[in-house]
Amino acid sequence: MLEFKKGVDILSAVGGIMTIGEARNLFEQQLDSEHLGRLALITNEEALLKVANAIAMCAPDRVYVHTGSEEDCAIVRRMSLEKGEEKKLAMTGHTIHFDLPEDQGRMVDQTFYIYNEDEQVSSLAKKEPRDQSHAYVREHMRGIMQGKTMFVGFYSRGPVGAKASIPAIEISSSTYVMHSAELLYRNCFADFDAEVARRGEFFTNVHSEGPNRSEDVPKARIYMDRSWQTTFSTFCTYAGNTLLMKKGNHRFASDCAMYKHHGEELSEHMFITGMTGPDGRKTYFAGAAPSGCGKTTTAMVGSDFVGDDLAQMWIEQDGTLRAVNPEIGIFGIIEDVNLEGDPYLMKCLRQPGAEVIFSNVLVDEHGKPRWTGDGDPLPEKGVNYQGQWTKEMTGVPLSHPNSRCTLKAEAVGNHNKAVNADPNGIVIKVITYSGRDSNTMPPIWVAKSMDAGVAIGASIVSKATAAEIGASGVNRQPWANTPFVAGSMTDYLDAQLNFYGNEKMTRKPVLAGLNYFLTHEARGGNGKGLLGEKKDVHVWLGWLELYTHGDVQAIETPIGMIPKYEDLEKLFNEKINKEYPESLYTMQFSLYIDNVVARIDLQEAAWRKEQGVSGRLFAVYEEQKAGLLALKAAKGAIVKPQELR
Ligand code: SPV
Ligand code: MN
């Protein structure tokens, strides 16, 4: 269990402002009349106390209340250029931001959940006792904004009024962070009070980059105070470490789903996208994938792209599963983004029109941003996050593999803005789970029951990527969400089982596994590398769209339902005008039983180490394993899909 508002409220203990009267006095002293007038629009006392304590703690020279107006946005953009946090690129509206070389991804080892005694924290996360974090914040965040302007913005993580939208305050001394916040989130200054009243809670985030020097990065910290739904971030700028409205608040939203709205809500690390099926029908998908595994690309394959990173879900009274995107923008990995794989995104990055912040790419002599895999010949030279770069520097990549682009989703050609703004949410009919799996699971398989679907999410494994500093090897990534789940894995599994198993959800989604990382080497192919191409995902999603509406039949296997060759062949032809030989289908969809069983054994062993895990998960593993072993006895260790029809 997690108890809210328990233990010392670190922000108020360090800030020292205890009453609304003290808060108002402080505002009078610290804010100029313009910003004092702005803040007067916020009346929620708890929120005002948070802001007052952040001011008292950080001691900025000036406080700027960001209303989200065009004028405010322009001022922050200009200040960012003046301060040097961003620089202009050749194309209008495009800027470059560099994070320190030591701050190029989420700092897993410096990110902590603050915990109270006896509180369960996920075995896959780092935690620190409350008094220790309190001491750190007191030592390092007091006066951290001296000489700087503090920005305060009020946002909604989701369309205003939607059931699972949660308001949040972002406080930062970084213009880059605030510029990013405006591209990625809905400023809801005018609606903030009403939203807090509706939802009954809000999140608070306090960040300062401090002097922004490499020598300070070892003392950088990213803290999530779950009890008080407040984050603290210091001595860093990478948005995943600093714009904590994103992943810091996603972590709090997971707590809400697990402990406040158990079985009624979920907070997922998922894209949301719509696919157009026969006769123009729209079918919306949500899909989980660990960071750096193609989630953005998959999302943009849809005809009606909504979001690429997060989904707030609930069960609506009509029995459907609804979702909203807490974001309105993209903070996407840019490596390997090129015209062939990502035409919509490339248009925003290479043509004028969109406001884009590039981070940690290379800037060539002409002010053009360049990155590994952008499809252009290597430039002669340029400047990247490490300094001067020349073509002769063999082995030194021109851009960091976790280089990113930040832009509003509405800039992307296939974005459906109306759908992303709808407070009624989006009816989700298909959920996919993916990871980087080179040798075991087929490109798609559909769960035969809700519990089996939950087991697909529980069993994601993936190779480490550049999004997390210091990560290596192949790791378990249940629901692709474990970096952001603070509570125990047992509680999280229960939240999943009770959500999809909830009898109020009368219109259940299709739950499916998705894997486009199978290799020739693992499947006895005569080529090299990936079996298939990035664009094949059009077909995988297209088949799921048809299956969901009963327009194609599937083949039953112990791990779930898989497509028939003829349906895929047709879709390859229709969707991407590509030949799909049956030999490739056979390689992709044959069951390599020993691999699959080993995968189940590994998952089962890992889950057995947790306390009190639901028997429903083990029942799925056992049933699948028994089915696989029986199949092996009957047909051998590698079973072709054609043998199962
Ligand atoms: C991810 O790494 O999953 C991201 C970017 O979406 S970050 O904000 O760093 O989490
Ligand atoms: Mn993400």
Side-chain angles (χ1 to χ4, degrees):
M1 267 316 285
L2 171 69
E3 283 179 59
F4 291 89
K5 303 201 171 171
K6 185 182 171 188
V8 172
D9 174 357
I10 295 173
L11 180 57
S12 71
V14 178
I17 306 284
M18 297 299 162
T19 67
I20 191 70
E22 287 166 28
R24 292 199 197 285
N25 283 342
L26 180 84
F27 296 147
E28 296 266 347
Q29 288 160 19
Q30 304 272 319
L31 272 65
D32 64 25
S33 59
E34 185 184 350
H35 292 277
L36 194 62
R38 292 180 179 196
L39 200 57
L41 233 85
I42 304 288
T43 59
N44 183 285
E45 295 191 355
E46 213 180 315
L48 291 172
L49 278 166
K50 292 276 188 190
V51 175
N53 276 305
I55 297 172
M57 174 171 85
C58 301
D61 281 12
R62 189 170 163 243
V63 178
Y64 191 107
V65 179
H66 196 320
T67 65
S69 68
E70 241 326 296
E71 199 190 340
D72 281 0
C73 291
I75 289 172
V76 170
R77 279 197 301 265
R78 198 188 66 219
M79 286 176 78
S80 211
L81 296 172
E82 285 166 7
K83 207 174 159 194
E85 286 196 60
E86 290 171 60
K87 289 195 171 61
K88 279 189 177 173
L89 293 170
M91 204 163 275
T92 310
H94 290 192
T95 59
I96 172 78
H97 162 82
F98 288 119
D99 298 297
L100 293 167
E102 303 78 8
D103 184 23
Q104 295 285 315
R106 273 184 279 111
M107 293 189 216
V108 180
D109 289 339
Q110 285 158 268
T111 300
F112 298 94
Y113 293 110
I114 298 172
Y115 75 99
N116 299 314
E117 240 174 86
D118 300 334
E119 223 161 59
Q120 291 289 312
V121 176
S122 161
S123 56
L124 300 172
K126 287 187 88 103
K127 60 180 181 179
E128 195 176 275
R130 180 166 297 276
D131 50 358
Q132 212 171 308
S133 319
H134 183 171
Y136 174 91
V137 171
R138 190 170 284 279
E139 180 181 349
H140 294 286
M141 292 194 83
R142 277 201 302 175
I144 197 169
M145 293 189 193
Q146 275 169 19
K148 293 176 188 279
T149 298
M150 170 193 275
F151 298 88
V152 182
F154 299 86
Y155 298 87
S156 175
R157 295 181 85 259
V160 165
K163 190 158 186 287
S165 294
I166 307 178
I169 307 177
E170 184 74 39
I171 298 174
S172 177
S173 54
S174 163
T175 48
Y176 159 70
V177 167
M178 295 312 287
H179 185 186
S180 302
E182 286 294 325
L183 294 175
L184 298 179
Y185 292 89
R186 301 161 176 91
N187 192 311
C188 77
F189 182 55
D191 295 314
F192 187 78
D193 277 354
E195 278 299 279
V196 176
R198 180 191 60 77
R199 177 72 195 190
E201 65 190 331
F202 66 91
F203 303 146
T204 307
N205 305 287
V206 188
H207 160 257
S208 182
E209 72 281 16
N212 195 25
R213 302 175 305 203
S214 286
E215 64 256 45
D216 294 321
V217 175
K219 59 180 200 236
R221 289 289 179 280
I222 295 96
Y223 281 125
M224 264 67 58
D225 186 345
R226 300 165 67 202
S227 300
W228 298 94
Q229 294 178 307
T230 298
T231 70
F232 302 91
S233 163
T234 53
F235 305 117
C236 48
T237 61
Y238 171 68
N241 295 321
T242 59
L243 178 57
L244 289 179
M245 212 165 12
K246 193 172 179 68
K247 291 307 194 334
N249 290 174
H250 175 54
R251 291 164 162 116
F252 294 155
S254 302
D255 276 338
C256 291
M258 286 163 70
Y259 300 112
K260 286 189 180 180
H261 307 281
H262 186 98
E264 306 276 338
E265 286 187 12
L266 282 182
S267 222
E268 293 285 17
H269 191 209
M270 287 184 176
F271 66 78
I272 303 173
T273 200
M275 294 291 290
T276 302
D279 299 325
R281 83 181 163 217
K282 306 274 186 194
T283 307
Y284 282 89
F285 286 56
S291 309
C293 293
K295 195 150 51 67
T296 303
T297 302
T298 309
M300 288 185 193
V301 157
S303 54
D304 294 71
F305 164 58
V306 178
D308 77 330
D309 199 37
L310 299 171
Q312 287 285 103
M313 297 179 163
W314 73 95
I315 304 168
E316 186 51 68
Q317 294 201 331
D318 63 359
T320 54
L321 192 173
R322 301 282 173 111
V324 288
N325 174 14
E327 309 190 289
I328 51 161
I330 298 150
F331 175 57
I333 293 180
I334 200 167
E335 183 159 299
D336 289 332
V337 169
N338 52 51
L339 262 182
E340 166 142 15
D342 302 87
Y344 289 111
L345 187 54
M346 254 334 240
K347 191 161 180 237
C348 302
L349 305 179
R350 284 291 181 236
Q351 291 177 28
E355 184 178 335
V356 185
I357 310 174
F358 293 83
S359 47
N360 307 318
V361 297
L362 177 123
V363 180
D364 76 6
E365 323 163 65
H366 313 289
K368 181 177 172 180
R370 298 295 316 274
W371 56 91
T372 309
D374 65 5
D376 283 341
L378 276 186
E380 289 302 317
K381 59 182 178 183
V383 174
N384 67 14
Y385 71 102
Q386 290 178 305
Q388 287 293 335
W389 179 92
T390 63
K391 203 176 172 178
E392 289 69 46
M393 291 165 75
T394 44
V396 183
L398 74 159
S399 59
H400 190 276
N402 194 36
S403 296
R404 301 239 170 191
C405 53
T406 305
L407 63 158
K408 283 195 174 163
E410 67 181 41
V412 179
N414 58 339
H415 179 64
N416 191 325
K417 195 176 172 182
V419 164
N420 195 23
D422 188 350
N424 297 313
I426 304 158
V427 177
I428 300 294
K429 295 218 170 109
V430 189
I431 295 196
T432 64
Y433 299 97
S434 34
R436 275 176 194 265
D437 164 4
S438 63
N439 63 9
T440 305
M441 301 307 273
I444 12 174
W445 71 104
V446 175
K448 291 193 261 184
S449 67
M450 288 297 108
D451 281 9
V454 170
I456 297 178
S459 313
I460 295 179
V461 286
S462 193
K463 255 169 80 175
T465 68
E468 294 186 332
I469 294 174
S472 62
V474 175
N475 302 309
R476 290 174 64 226
Q477 284 270 9
W479 297 279
N481 207 13
T482 40
F484 317 112
V485 171
S488 78
M489 282 293 106
T490 304
D491 290 352
Y492 194 58
L493 171 66
D494 286 342
Q496 293 278 343
L497 289 168
N498 293 334
F499 182 75
Y500 291 105
N502 193 328
E503 58 189 30
K504 287 188 206 154
M505 196 195 286
T506 50
R507 288 147 78 183
K508 305 277 189 203
V510 162
L511 305 181
L514 187 65
N515 176 31
Y516 30 84
F517 290 97
L518 278 178
T519 60
H520 276 276
E521 292 81 354
R523 291 288 163 126
N526 50 16
K528 268 190 130 171
L530 288 189
L531 259 185
E533 297 174 279
K534 218 172 171 180
K535 66 181 178 193
D536 298 352
V537 69
H538 284 272
V539 173
W540 310 139
L541 299 188
W543 183 84
L544 283 168
E545 201 280 335
L546 294 174
Y547 179 81
T548 301
H549 293 277
D551 292 347
V552 282
Q553 301 301 306
I555 303 168
E556 185 169 355
T557 82
I559 57 166
M561 312 300 289
I562 60 171
K564 293 183 174 170
Y565 170 66
E566 54 270 29
D567 295 322
L568 291 179
E569 186 200 20
K570 196 160 159 255
L571 279 168
F572 266 96
N573 181 25
E574 279 171 17
K575 292 218 167 252
I576 51 175
N577 193 19
K578 189 172 152 179
E579 289 231 12
Y580 185 58
E582 187 159 3
S583 56
L584 178 57
Y585 167 77
T586 306
M587 276 196 271
Q588 290 178 322
F589 286 92
S590 288
L591 286 176
Y592 280 57
I593 291 179
D594 293 336
N595 287 5
V596 183
V597 169
R599 184 179 192 268
I600 294 173
D601 285 343
L602 207 112
Q603 290 299 324
E604 190 185 329
W607 278 100
R608 292 239 181 249
K609 288 192 195 133
E610 305 278 341
Q611 297 277 307
V613 173
S614 171
R616 284 158 70 182
L617 178 68
F618 298 123
V620 172
Y621 288 150
E622 262 137 46
E623 187 189 328
Q624 292 190 351
K625 207 168 138 177
L628 287 161
L629 293 176
L631 194 61
K632 183 177 171 183
K635 298 187 189 290
I638 301 172
V639 180
K640 295 184 174 140
Q642 295 86 343
E643 296 178 73
L644 293 165
R645 299 181 65 146

